[in-house]
């Protein structure tokens, strides 16, 4: 199989029964993709995956066979930050607004939120909760998670300041 993970191409022989989450963690060292329940109920293993002609969407990598990712592009939590290490707006908002406690669910929550914000750039509280449905947090009451997603949405909607030409 050949898969692009976080901007790097990997070509591997994989057993047909290998799950994508196992391949990412054990073969590629992408340990930010967490194995939670192994039943696709908790969402901790969420990554973004898309083909050549489709935008990456959130998928639970414990319910995808590695061979199903052949030819796809996968983004893990490690690949979400910018090339210079700058945090993505959602990562930054989770950090700044304390949208995590133990952190186990955080990678999946962040990637699910990125997918949600691709479709809805100004979600209401209820829409955030619906968009993160299937990603479980056992530590928080979700309120700071919802706030973080909405703060990231506001940051992503904000106009990018244009550099102004300075004349002497």
């Amino acid at each position: 199989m050949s898969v692009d993970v976080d901007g790097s191409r990997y070509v591997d022989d994989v057993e047909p029964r290998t799950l994508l989450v196992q391949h990412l963690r054990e073969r590629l060292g992408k340990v930010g993709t967490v194995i939670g329940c192994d039943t696709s109920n908790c969402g901790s293993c969420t990554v973004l995956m898309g083909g050549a002609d489709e935008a990456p969407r959130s998928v639970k990598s414990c319910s995808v066979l590695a061979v199903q990712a052949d030819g796809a592009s996968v983004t893990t939590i490690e690949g979400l930050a910018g090339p210079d290490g700058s945090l993505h707006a959602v990562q930054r908002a989770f950090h700044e607004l304390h949208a995590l406690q133990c952190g186990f669910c955080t990678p999946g929550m962040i990637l699910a939120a990125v997918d949600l914000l691709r479709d809805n750039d100004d979600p209401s509280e209820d829409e955030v909760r619906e968009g993160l449905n299937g990603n479980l947090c056992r530590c928080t009451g979700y309120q700071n998670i919802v706030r973080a997603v909405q703060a990231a949405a506001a940051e992503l909607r904000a106009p990018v300041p244009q550099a102004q030409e300075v004349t002497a």
Side-chain angles (χ1 to χ4, degrees):
M1 69 173 275
S2 174
V3 62
D4 182 321
V5 178
D6 297 336
S8 296
R9 174 73 48 194
Y10 297 90
V11 178
D12 281 311
D13 289 327
V14 296
E15 290 186 40
R17 66 180 181 194
T18 302
L19 296 174
L20 180 58
V21 68
Q22 295 167 327
H23 184 69
L24 291 170
R25 290 179 58 81
E26 297 165 14
R27 183 77 172 177
L28 305 183
K30 302 294 184 174
V31 294
T33 304
V34 180
I35 297 174
C37 64
D38 268 338
T39 61
S40 76
N41 288 317
C42 75
S44 294
C45 67
T46 300
V47 297
L48 300 175
M49 186 171 97
D53 297 334
E54 57 190 36
R57 305 306 297 194
S58 63
V59 298
K60 294 177 181 177
S61 61
C62 75
S63 65
V64 176
L65 295 170
V67 295
Q68 289 176 289
D70 187 30
S73 174
V74 174
T75 302
T76 69
I77 194 69
E78 291 97 336
L80 194 57
D84 62 352
S86 60
L87 295 179
H88 184 280
V90 177
Q91 290 172 307
R92 193 169 35 261
F94 266 65
H95 172 75
E96 292 172 358
L97 296 173
H98 310 288
L100 57 102
Q101 285 184 14
C102 81
F104 194 81
C105 70
T106 305
M109 285 282 187
I110 288 173
L111 290 164
V114 168
D115 191 27
L116 165 67
L117 295 178
R118 180 177 292 122
D119 292 336
N120 183 348
D121 70 350
D122 190 13
S124 68
E125 181 176 329
D126 287 341
E127 289 169 329
V128 172
R129 290 180 183 277
E130 176 67 26
L132 298 180
N133 189 18
N135 287 76
L136 302 177
C137 177
R138 289 171 174 86
C139 300
T140 73
Y142 294 92
Q143 195 56 41
N144 286 351
I145 292 171
V146 172
R147 285 187 193 124
V149 174
Q150 289 181 309
E155 180 182 333
L156 292 169
R157 283 191 317 273
V160 176
Q162 299 293 322
Q164 296 196 0
E165 188 175 310
V166 178
T167 57

